[in-house]
Amino acid sequence: VNDEDAGWGPLYALVMAVFAVEVALFAWLTWSLS
Amino acid sequence: VTVLDWLVLVFTIVGIAAYGTWQTRNSSAAGYLRGESLRWPTIGLSIMATQASAITFLSVPGQAYDDGMRFIQMYFGLPLATILVSVFFVPIYHRLKVFTAYEYLERRFDVRVRVLAATLFLIGRGLAAGITIYAPAILLSSVLGWSLYTLNAVLGGVVIVYTVTGGAAAVAQTQKQQMAVILAGLAVAGVIIAAKLPDGVGVVDAARLAGAAGRMNVVDFSFDPNSRYTFWSGITGGLFLQLSYFGTDQSQVQRYLGGASTRESRLGLLFNGILKIPMQFSILFIGLLVFVFYLFEKPPVFFDQATLQRVEASEHRGELQALQAGWDEAFLERKARAQALVDADSDVNRAALRTADARVSELRGEARALVERAVPGASTKDGDFIFVSFVLAELPSGIVGLLLAVILLASMSSTASELSSLGATSALDLYKRLVHPTATDRHLRRAGQLLTVGWGLVALSFATFASLVDNLIQAVNILGSVFYGVILGIFLVGFTLPRVGGTATFVAALLAEAVVVTLYFRSDIGFLWFNAIGCALVIGLAVVAQLILGRRPAGGET
């Protein structure tokens, strides 16, 4: 791992966390409005 | 379209292009071919502007109107794709200081693999560039009564001028402002459409109405292989599509190669990983608001008015009138059901709205069938006309100009990235590598300019002479899918299988491409899967070919 590759884990995790929240929200919208 | 609309339109389109051209008129050869010292906000917006074409703004709201929100699942692979590109592709490209993605392939394999991948890109993207101009031009020329040739020539001409003058640097510069106008236009459209809903119907009611009518199908966790958009196809097939697009398509790679550092490139990509899905959601939701608006205001039975007029002028006129009478009735019934649901949300009222909406959809189906009978050869898919006809019929002067600008800027920003990357790839991967290895920077910049003009003319001719492709957004995706998977497979072999050499990869790529093209013509596999199939075939065949060819010492750039 180069220096410039270090420390990116949290940001990658954030991107996936945002995605997970979006999917949860979409699932809720689908479930509650359909 | 009023004088005010024209002012907004001309000011945004010409103003942004002129400013970008002026700012980057003296760009260096590096800046010209791949951009230089770009910061992440520029990269992020540039990537976003490249991916969002006019087709996005024309087709996607129409898709929500007829089919609901489920199209968004196509983008579910994107966040992970931007992460994977940040982890694996970006550091390699930056370390090798490449100008094109395909340059890496020569360092890792050999010149044949580089030229093959570059050529596949040039063919696929060269055709797609034509569609990027043509798709919105044919629609707008029909809706606005503008000449298709003039529209093509003006739009294509403006893009060619700034792309040829400033290259990738000008593309990035203009895309910032273009994207700002696009996002502002979308926000304004959303607010105005929401305000145009009847009294007592707010955005929440609109979502409830759309949901009752089956349009709030945002995610579908079912494993039905016949359903085109599900969560699972999004995170698998969609992941391959986005991964090949962001990792190996020079029209995207060029956007982040010019980053000042790996950090800037990564942040620009991840910016899209976070914001792309909300953006697509907003565009789809605007389509839903248009749907809800038309629950209360009578929509046309077929949105492509020019084609509808041809039906009216044909011997099928009587059938159309009978259909219209049924349509008026079905609309009034659905409106009453929608109002009843707004007044009292109950299962009975929801079911009644759904039934009434099914009747409306059925009549829309009949209208399409009638169009097919009355005007042989005409496209029956009017979904792409829904949003633009709504804008023209219902939005105030000035805003119409703004939204037409949004559509045209989206077309221009995508076309610019395509032309710039086509020019750079043909200048570097073919011309410099095969014809003139000792070319100076000055010479290369000039070659890049000439080749960009050439690609611009190719795209323009394609746009001018192509006949209407059935479904625009799919046509572009399918074109990409036929080549993308194979290109991605080559890169993944390069990154992950150090013992597989150039010959094995080259042969595997050719075979895989032959199989994918055969499947495209001979099977009914969904286009989304061509990426995964092409990619897997290259990897599998390359391993087999290397085993046949014999051991090769591990090495090469990874």
Side-chain angles (χ1 to χ4, degrees):
Chain A
V1 177
N2 296 329
D3 283 351
E4 61 186 11
D5 291 334
W8 285 84
L11 189 54
Y12 297 149
L14 173 71
V15 173
M16 288 316 285
V18 170
F19 174 61
V21 170
E22 282 163 354
V23 172
L25 187 66
F26 294 162
W28 175 75
L29 280 174
T30 305
W31 172 76
S32 65
L33 293 173
S34 294
Chain B
V1 181
T2 63
V3 175
L4 181 60
D5 292 324
W6 275 106
L7 283 175
V8 174
L9 204 53
V10 172
F11 177 76
T12 46
I13 288 176
V14 177
I16 292 173
Y19 179 72
T21 311
W22 174 254
Q23 281 263 306
T24 57
R25 65 199 181 285
N26 296 322
S27 59
S28 64
Y32 188 87
L33 294 165
R34 66 160 189 206
E36 213 177 14
S37 310
L38 302 175
R39 313 297 301 201
W40 68 264
T42 308
I43 296 171
L45 289 171
S46 183
I47 288 172
M48 193 175 254
T50 300
Q51 192 175 25
S53 67
I55 297 167
T56 308
F57 297 99
L58 290 166
S59 281
V60 172
Q63 203 129 6
Y65 184 98
D66 274 327
D67 193 46
M69 300 288 289
R70 61 183 180 158
F71 179 67
I72 195 151
Q73 295 169 107
M74 272 283 285
Y75 293 88
F76 279 6
L78 194 146
L80 184 56
T82 58
I83 293 175
L84 293 175
V85 172
S86 297
V87 172
F88 295 106
F89 293 72
V90 171
I92 291 178
Y93 291 157
H94 266 278
R95 193 165 358 118
L96 299 178
K97 296 189 167 47
V98 293
F99 276 75
T100 72
Y102 319 112
E103 207 179 324
Y104 154 75
L105 296 175
E106 181 170 7
R107 312 267 189 107
R108 168 61 180 83
F109 297 112
D110 55 37
V111 65
R112 285 172 308 174
V113 179
R114 172 184 183 178
V115 170
L116 174 67
T119 307
L120 289 178
F121 164 74
L122 291 173
I123 297 170
R125 194 40 73 189
L127 289 172
I131 294 185
T132 312
I133 302 176
Y134 171 77
I138 185 93
L139 261 162
L140 294 177
S141 69
S142 159
V143 174
L144 298 164
W146 297 348
S147 146
L148 174 66
Y149 303 111
T150 316
L151 198 54
N152 271 342
V154 171
L155 280 181
V158 171
V159 173
I160 291 175
V161 166
Y162 72 78
T163 310
V164 169
T165 316
V171 174
Q173 176 64 43
T174 46
Q175 279 171 334
K176 267 194 293 189
Q177 281 113 28
Q178 289 168 336
M179 208 57 224
V181 174
I182 288 171
L183 293 175
L186 278 182
V188 169
V191 170
I192 293 182
I193 300 170
K196 283 186 78 75
L197 295 175
D199 287 342
V201 181
V203 173
V204 175
D205 302 302
R208 197 176 296 136
L209 285 163
R215 302 313 198 270
M216 261 305 182
N217 47 354
V218 198
V219 276
D220 175 2
F221 288 105
S222 75
F223 288 99
D224 180 6
N226 296 319
S227 180
R228 181 175 290 151
Y229 309 117
T230 66
F231 175 81
W232 309 108
S233 67
I235 58 163
T236 53
L239 173 66
F240 276 93
L241 181 74
Q242 309 289 350
L243 195 56
S244 35
Y245 182 51
F246 289 111
T248 74
D249 185 313
Q250 182 65 17
S251 71
Q252 279 297 358
V253 175
Q254 192 185 40
R255 310 275 74 75
Y256 60 81
L257 275 186
S261 63
T262 51
R263 178 178 180 275
E264 305 295 330
S265 299
R266 279 177 175 150
L267 288 174
L269 277 161
L270 298 176
F271 169 89
N272 282 271
I274 289 181
L275 290 180
K276 183 70 188 181
I277 290 177
M279 180 182 154
Q280 288 301 117
F281 184 89
S282 311
I283 301 171
L284 281 162
F285 196 75
I286 285 175
L288 278 195
L289 290 177
V290 172
F291 169 76
V292 173
F293 173 83
Y294 280 131
L295 286 177
F296 299 96
E297 296 284 330
K298 195 173 70 170
V301 65
F302 190 75
F303 280 90
D304 177 357
Q305 290 299 320
T307 303
L308 199 61
Q309 275 162 18
R310 288 170 69 191
V311 178
E312 223 151 56
S314 76
E315 64 203 39
H316 296 267
R317 188 195 166 120
E319 285 171 72
L320 181 62
Q321 282 167 345
L323 187 66
Q324 290 281 12
W327 178 254
D328 294 352
E329 207 174 295
F331 161 71
L332 288 174
E333 167 67 12
R334 187 177 68 169
K335 181 179 176 181
R337 296 297 140 223
Q339 191 56 54
L341 183 60
V342 173
D343 296 337
D345 190 353
S346 70
D347 285 348
V348 175
N349 286 344
R350 296 168 75 84
L353 175 61
R354 194 162 303 173
T355 310
D357 182 59
R359 174 68 187 143
V360 168
S361 298
E362 191 185 313
L363 288 172
R364 254 170 82 60
E366 283 177 27
R368 287 175 177 149
L370 175 61
V371 165
E372 202 161 19
R373 284 199 305 277
V375 192
S379 171
T380 59
K381 296 192 173 160
D382 64 334
D384 296 340
F385 288 87
I386 295 175
F387 184 61
V388 69
S389 15
F390 168 82
V391 167
L392 290 170
E394 304 294 341
L395 295 191
S397 170
I399 303 299
V400 172
L402 177 63
L403 287 172
L404 290 177
V406 165
I407 294 168
L408 297 178
L409 289 176
S411 166
M412 293 168 67
S413 62
S414 299
T415 308
S417 286
E418 292 176 324
L419 295 184
S420 180
S421 61
L422 288 164
T425 302
S426 39
L428 295 163
D429 294 308
L430 300 185
Y431 177 71
K432 179 171 188 241
R433 181 60 185 81
L434 302 177
V435 180
H436 201 328
T438 56
T440 60
D441 277 359
R442 203 182 133 84
H443 182 96
L444 263 183
R445 193 183 191 283
R446 174 55 49 149
Q449 286 185 313
L450 287 173
L451 286 161
T452 306
V453 173
W455 282 109
L457 295 178
V458 168
L460 265 183
S461 336
F462 184 84
T464 307
F465 299 114
S467 61
L468 189 55
V469 186
D470 243 12
N471 190 321
L472 310 171
I473 198 158
Q474 280 194 26
V476 174
N477 281 338
I478 290 171
L479 271 176
S481 296
V482 172
F483 295 105
Y484 272 178
V486 171
I487 301 181
L488 178 64
I490 297 174
F491 279 85
L492 291 188
V493 170
F495 292 155
T496 59
L497 299 169
R499 288 185 186 278
V500 177
T503 304
T505 308
F506 183 73
V507 172
L510 286 181
L511 284 173
E513 190 57 66
V515 173
V516 173
V517 170
T518 310
L519 285 175
Y520 171 64
F521 285 112
R522 294 282 173 86
S523 77
D524 51 4
I525 298 172
F527 71 91
L528 189 59
W529 298 107
F530 286 130
N531 274 282
I533 294 171
C535 178
L537 274 173
V538 174
I539 296 174
L541 290 170
V543 170
V544 173
Q546 192 61 56
L547 286 173
I548 295 170
L549 288 168
R551 282 177 66 92
R552 169 183 177 275
E557 193 64 54
T558 55

